[in-house]
Amino acid sequence: GAIKSRMYAENIEKIKISISDFEKYVPTEVLAERLITFKTDGITPRMFQYNLLKRAKSHKKHIVLPEGTDSRILIAAKQLTDQDAVEITLLGDKRQIMDKIAKLDLALDLEKVNLINPLESSNFEDYASTLFQLRQHKNVDQIMARDLMTDVSYFGTMMVYKGHADGMVSGATHTTQHTILPALQVIKTKPGVSLVSSVFFMCLPDRVVIFGDCAI
């Protein structure tokens, strides 16, 4: 009887639990279909995020996150795993990742994510050998290939190339060049395509803004 049911904007954890429980016991998709009675040319940030989440859940993918010790990445990983939207692999030193989770007091369920230290991975030598084969015509020897494979961006890219992950998301702490260079060297663009482009979505309070850049 002493429990206060009031909920405020700053009660983030309570809101997340409430939404999670609601989605668990209520057929939200059926409810949403019944609530939508009109079509609009625009889209609100909430609609944009909801549609992305819905698509992610219906086609669950395995995403590798090279910046496993970054606070924003860990918070995002918790939100996505709580919503069962994606399978996640975090790259980096396992001790540092676990220490960062503890400092953030983040209830990230480590049973739901994969933690990989590239140097300790059973795939390290195979990845380094593959990189050597792909880049030896650019004067990359086996020692250089092993050294590059210690870089989380190269390791994550090779996971995608080998089919051990569906995609890689990076750029929180790494530059665009650090993120995209391994992809251009290993995965490359489709035959006949030389243009590489990026798109940014900014969810403002009342609208979604899309902008991007490209490079040849």
Side-chain angles (χ1 to χ4, degrees):
I3 296 176
K4 297 180 180 179
S5 60
R6 292 188 295 274
M7 191 180 298
Y8 303 99
E10 61 268 19
N11 303 139
I12 297 176
E13 194 64 28
K14 186 184 292 185
I15 293 172
K16 289 180 180 178
I17 294 174
S18 299
I19 293 175
S20 177
D21 286 344
F22 183 84
E23 293 180 341
K24 182 177 180 181
Y25 296 104
V26 176
T28 54
E29 292 187 7
V30 176
L31 179 61
E33 290 295 331
R34 293 184 178 181
L35 289 175
I36 297 175
T37 57
F38 66 92
K39 293 183 178 180
T40 175
D41 295 331
I43 183 172
T44 66
R46 288 186 180 275
M47 290 170 60
F48 176 74
Q49 294 176 25
Y50 172 79
N51 289 333
L52 282 182
L53 184 61
K54 184 178 179 180
R55 291 177 62 182
K57 286 184 175 182
S58 62
H59 298 88
K60 193 172 180 181
K61 300 296 184 180
H62 178 191
I63 302 299
V64 55
L65 305 175
E67 301 154 320
T69 57
D70 185 87
S71 301
R72 295 163 294 177
I73 296 298
L74 292 173
I75 292 172
K78 180 186 183 308
Q79 293 175 345
L80 291 171
T81 52
D82 285 349
Q83 295 170 325
D84 195 30
V86 64
E87 179 185 351
I88 287 179
T89 290
L90 296 170
L91 298 185
D93 183 271
K94 294 182 181 179
R95 176 68 63 181
Q96 292 181 9
I97 293 175
M98 294 176 69
D99 287 347
K100 195 58 172 289
I101 292 173
K103 289 180 180 178
L104 291 171
D105 193 23
L106 196 63
L108 175 60
D109 188 351
L110 295 180
E111 296 294 326
K112 294 183 179 180
V113 297
N114 308 306
L115 300 182
I116 297 180
N117 184 341
L119 288 172
E120 299 175 355
S121 171
S122 59
N123 291 320
F124 181 84
E125 294 298 337
D126 177 54
Y127 285 4
S129 177
T130 299
L131 181 61
F132 165 68
Q133 294 171 17
L134 293 172
R135 302 294 295 169
Q136 58 181 324
H137 68 287
K138 291 293 186 178
N139 297 320
V140 173
D141 58 27
Q142 292 181 339
I143 295 177
M144 292 172 63
R146 294 185 84 259
D147 185 54
L148 287 172
M149 201 46 59
T150 62
D151 187 297
V152 289
S153 289
Y154 274 91
F155 191 92
T157 300
M158 190 59 72
M159 285 184 66
V160 177
Y161 179 79
K162 286 284 190 175
H164 298 160
D166 296 307
M168 182 179 83
V169 176
S170 185
T173 57
H174 292 151
T175 63
T176 300
Q177 180 181 2
H178 193 173
T179 300
I180 203 171
L181 183 60
L184 292 176
Q185 292 178 345
V186 176
I187 300 174
K188 305 182 184 299
T189 59
K190 289 183 178 181
V193 176
S194 61
L195 189 67
V196 178
S197 180
S198 62
V199 177
F200 297 83
F201 296 90
M202 292 185 63
C203 292
L204 302 178
D206 58 346
R207 66 190 186 280
V208 177
V209 179
I210 305 174
F211 64 96
D213 55 19
C214 62
I216 297 178

